[in-house]
Every structure is written in C-alpha cells, then in structure tokens.
C-alpha cells in the first residue's frame, strides 16, 4: 500500500512495508535516505504540508492506528491516535486509518478505511472536531474510504474521498457536505 510524493527538495518519497517505512530517492532513482524505521509495517496514505515554510509529511499508519507528522528528515513531530472523542468506537482496535489530507486552514482529515469507514476531522492543533461518513452505500456513506485528497480549484477547496468498496469517488466541501 505504498504511496509516492515529491517533496520541495525534488526528492521522491515512497512509503512501504519494508525495513524503512519511508524512503527518499533522488530524481535519478538513487536512495538518499531511509526514514522512520520504527514505523515500518503499516504505513498507508500520506500527504505533504508546507506549514511554516517547511514541509512536513503526514502518514496514516493502519496497523498502529495512528497518524504521524514528521519532518522531511524523518523526525517525528506529533501523532494523532484513535478518535476516542468521537464516541463512534467501542475499542481502539476498530480504528485503522488509511489516508490523511491537510487543508490550507490546517484542518486534518483522516480516513478510517480498514475500520468503521468514517472520515475524522481535526483542527490545526490536532484537536478532534467531528466525523462524517460511516458504513453504508447511500450517498455520503462509505464502505472503505481508502484515499483522501484536498482539491484546490479557483480558490475553493473540496475533499475527494476514494471509496474502494463502493467503487466511487465522493466529493464534498470541507464540512463533509456532498
């Protein structure tokens, strides 16, 4: 379940289930850094954030049930654990995040694709705000929200959710309204 990004340095970042959770490659394909060895096995979706003029990498870790924010050199800055404040889960083991996206206002969106199919929203300081979605096939519901992307067109941001089991993309505003 690797994902590939290109950072501001021009490096290609790939997350894997290998010995190095995050690998940085030069433009010509040489490995230039092996990062996050303690996080191997379970990294899933990721995104880049340019907050403060310095990019950060946000990664969903399905097996650990966490989202991690780190520098481009692999220094872990913060984590977001299971959304206990949502009251949607009876236990931590129901939470397996598969994707993360960050809006320009700092809000963080996390998809629980291998859990109960909710998308959780946090503020810029990682405080829980709300959840939307949940398991189902009707519009607004999901069965495996597997990928998230903030789309920025003409100054308007939308959240695109790739729902793997329902075989569709859902596009909403940043409040989860279709």
């Amino acid at each position: 379940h690797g994902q590939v990004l290109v950072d501001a340095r021009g490096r290609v970042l790939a997350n894997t289930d290998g010995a190095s959770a995050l690998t940085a490659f030069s433009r010509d394909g040489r490995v230039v850094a092996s990062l996050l060895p303690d996080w191997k096995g379970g990294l899933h979706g990721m995104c880049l954030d340019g907050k403060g003029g310095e990019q950060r990498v946000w990664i969903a870790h399905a097996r650990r049930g966490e989202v991690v924010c780190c520098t481009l050199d692999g220094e872990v800055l913060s984590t977001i654990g299971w959304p206990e404040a949502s009251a949607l889960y009876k236990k931590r083991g129901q939470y397996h995040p598969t994707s993360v996206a960050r809006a320009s206002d700092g809000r963080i969106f996390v998809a629980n694709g291998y859990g109960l199919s909710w998308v959780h929203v946090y503020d810029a300081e990682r405080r829980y705000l709300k959840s939307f979605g949940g398991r189902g096939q009707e519009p607004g519901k999901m069965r495996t929200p597997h990928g998230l992307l903030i789309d920025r067109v003409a100054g308007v941001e939308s959240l695109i959710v790739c729902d793997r089991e329902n075989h569709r993309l859902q596009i909403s505003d940043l409040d989860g309204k279709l």
Side-chain angles (χ1 to χ4, degrees):
H1 294 290
Q3 188 169 359
V4 177
L5 299 171
V6 178
D7 69 16
R9 301 176 189 173
R11 300 181 312 170
V12 177
L13 304 174
N15 66 26
T16 71
D17 281 335
S20 171
L22 185 62
T23 303
F25 298 90
S26 65
R27 290 177 188 226
D28 62 2
R30 290 179 295 111
V31 173
V32 294
S34 295
L35 309 169
L36 301 173
D38 295 340
W39 292 78
K40 68 181 178 183
L43 289 190
H44 220 280
M46 62 182 182
C47 70
L48 287 169
D49 170 1
K51 185 177 179 183
E54 197 173 313
Q55 278 189 312
R56 306 280 189 242
V57 183
W58 291 81
I59 305 171
H61 199 290
R63 189 166 32 157
R64 289 175 68 149
E66 294 180 300
V67 170
V68 60
C69 175
C70 64
T71 67
L72 293 180
D73 295 320
E75 176 190 353
V76 175
L77 302 173
S78 64
T79 60
I80 301 173
W82 72 299
E84 188 174 9
S86 72
L88 296 168
Y89 302 89
K90 292 179 183 173
K91 58 185 177 182
R92 180 184 311 261
Q94 295 176 299
Y95 181 66
H96 306 283
T98 52
S99 193
V100 59
R102 188 110 193 244
S104 64
D105 65 4
R107 278 184 286 176
I108 304 157
F109 297 82
V110 180
N112 182 16
Y114 291 155
L116 300 180
S117 297
W118 292 95
V119 173
H120 304 288
V121 185
Y122 300 85
D123 69 13
E125 283 73 43
R126 302 179 321 280
R127 292 181 295 243
Y128 174 80
L129 296 175
K130 68 178 192 169
S131 302
F132 61 89
R135 189 162 281 287
Q137 294 182 341
E138 60 273 17
K141 297 289 185 178
M142 297 164 256
R143 289 179 44 211
T144 306
H146 205 256
L148 298 176
L149 175 72
I150 301 292
D151 184 34
R152 295 172 178 95
V153 177
V156 176
E157 291 183 319
S158 299
L159 178 68
I160 300 174
V161 180
C162 177
D163 184 351
R164 190 176 78 183
E165 296 298 317
N166 280 338
H167 306 287
R168 68 176 177 220
L169 294 176
Q170 293 195 122
I171 302 172
S172 67
D173 64 17
L174 296 186
D175 292 320
K177 295 181 182 90
L178 297 178

